[in-house]
Amino acid sequence: MRVLVVEDEPRMSTLLERGFREEGYAVDVAADGPGGLWLATENAYDAVVLDAMLPGLDGFEVCRRLRGAERWAPVILLTALDGVEDRVRGLDAGADDYLTKPFSFAELAARVRALVRRRSGARPAVLMVGDLRLDPALHRAWRGDVEIGLSPKEMALLELLMRHHGEVVTRSQILDHVWDFAYGGTSNVVDQYIGYLRKKVARPFGRDDIETVRGVGYRLRDPVPG
Ligand code: CA
């Protein structure tokens, strides 16, 4: 999952960035309205956390222009004012949800997870593909009854493959959703992490269900029925 945080208060921004990274998300940060609008227009984010009061363009306007440009990433608006008017304005500008400051990071993270689920139709809170199970809220994964210890990036990569099980996920899709702008390396990192995943979730269980699609990317194979 890749998240954009648009927030001008450095302390809040750092807090959110750190929080999402600890959740295993890729995070980009903008400190003003125009910067946020540009990033959100150029990249496919899984969620945008948008402060209402921003220099340059306020959050309402950023959201309105984003929707005007047909960018549909889920937006959570952060408002400092506990006013009904502000919330109505935000939702009418195209925001999907709002949170009033001060809020707990745990609640923001849960709302982001809910938005990501809602966006792709009927999606269970716990992902299951065959005997693989992953709980994004708890950051835990299992093969059958055996829990698998994964690093945050490995967890994010497995989550992406599970959300698209049976489909090819390209290297650039993986880079876009699991890594962020701060990452300056090459796409070799994707192959490297696929290797780590296979070592943890496939090989010890005698499986080979993370398939390489030569020249394109990877696919988590659907389980064969029976
Ligand atoms: Ca602000």
Side-chain angles (χ1 to χ4, degrees):
M1 298 291 111
R2 186 173 179 183
V3 175
L4 173 64
V5 171
V6 190
E7 166 63 87
D8 58 316
E9 292 149 46
R11 273 185 53 196
M12 174 64 94
S13 164
T14 305
L15 199 100
L16 296 180
E17 184 182 4
R18 200 173 296 156
F20 281 118
R21 277 192 208 287
E22 279 166 14
E23 296 278 311
Y25 289 66
V27 190
D28 295 324
V29 177
D32 58 31
L37 180 61
W38 183 77
L39 279 174
T41 308
E42 293 297 311
N43 301 293
Y45 290 102
D46 298 292
V48 177
V49 177
L50 183 61
D51 191 34
M53 307 308 277
L54 290 169
L57 288 171
D58 66 24
F60 306 103
E61 191 54 31
V62 170
C63 197
R64 198 170 298 118
R65 292 194 191 184
L66 209 53
R67 297 315 188 212
E70 302 196 343
R71 292 296 185 277
W72 309 115
V75 171
I76 298 189
L77 199 70
L78 303 179
T79 159
L81 315 161
D82 191 15
V84 175
E85 230 171 87
D86 249 33
R87 284 178 250 156
V88 170
R89 229 179 120 201
L91 293 170
D92 282 343
D96 300 273
D97 199 0
Y98 62 83
L99 210 49
T100 304
K101 288 178 177 177
F103 55 84
S104 80
F105 182 78
E107 183 177 2
L108 176 62
R111 282 174 187 261
V112 166
R113 285 194 294 272
L115 280 184
V116 170
R117 277 203 301 275
R118 213 181 298 162
R119 192 190 181 197
S120 24
R123 295 277 180 160
V126 176
L127 303 172
M128 292 211 276
V129 179
D131 60 353
L132 271 177
R133 198 152 47 93
L134 187 149
D135 187 329
L138 297 179
H139 308 289
R140 296 174 71 181
W142 300 263
R143 171 80 86 177
D145 295 327
V146 182
E147 180 158 9
I148 308 160
L150 297 174
S151 73
K153 284 285 178 227
E154 292 164 352
M155 190 70 78
L157 180 54
L158 182 60
E159 184 181 343
L160 185 69
L161 291 173
M162 287 180 75
R163 285 191 189 281
H164 296 274
H165 64 94
E167 301 167 18
V168 181
V169 184
T170 66
R171 275 191 190 74
S172 67
Q173 275 175 310
I174 295 174
L175 275 177
D176 278 355
H177 289 273
V178 180
W179 279 271
D180 46 51
F181 265 16
Y183 176 73
T186 65
S187 69
N188 287 343
V189 74
V190 172
D191 308 86
Q192 196 182 333
Y193 271 80
I194 289 282
Y196 297 157
L197 264 192
R198 281 178 175 148
K199 236 177 260 174
K200 291 186 175 178
V201 311
R203 255 171 250 158
F205 301 91
R207 304 299 180 82
D208 184 22
D209 47 4
I210 303 172
E211 207 180 340
T212 303
V213 181
R214 200 171 277 278
V216 186
Y218 297 95
R219 168 167 48 207
L220 177 62
R221 246 198 315 262
D222 277 324
V224 184

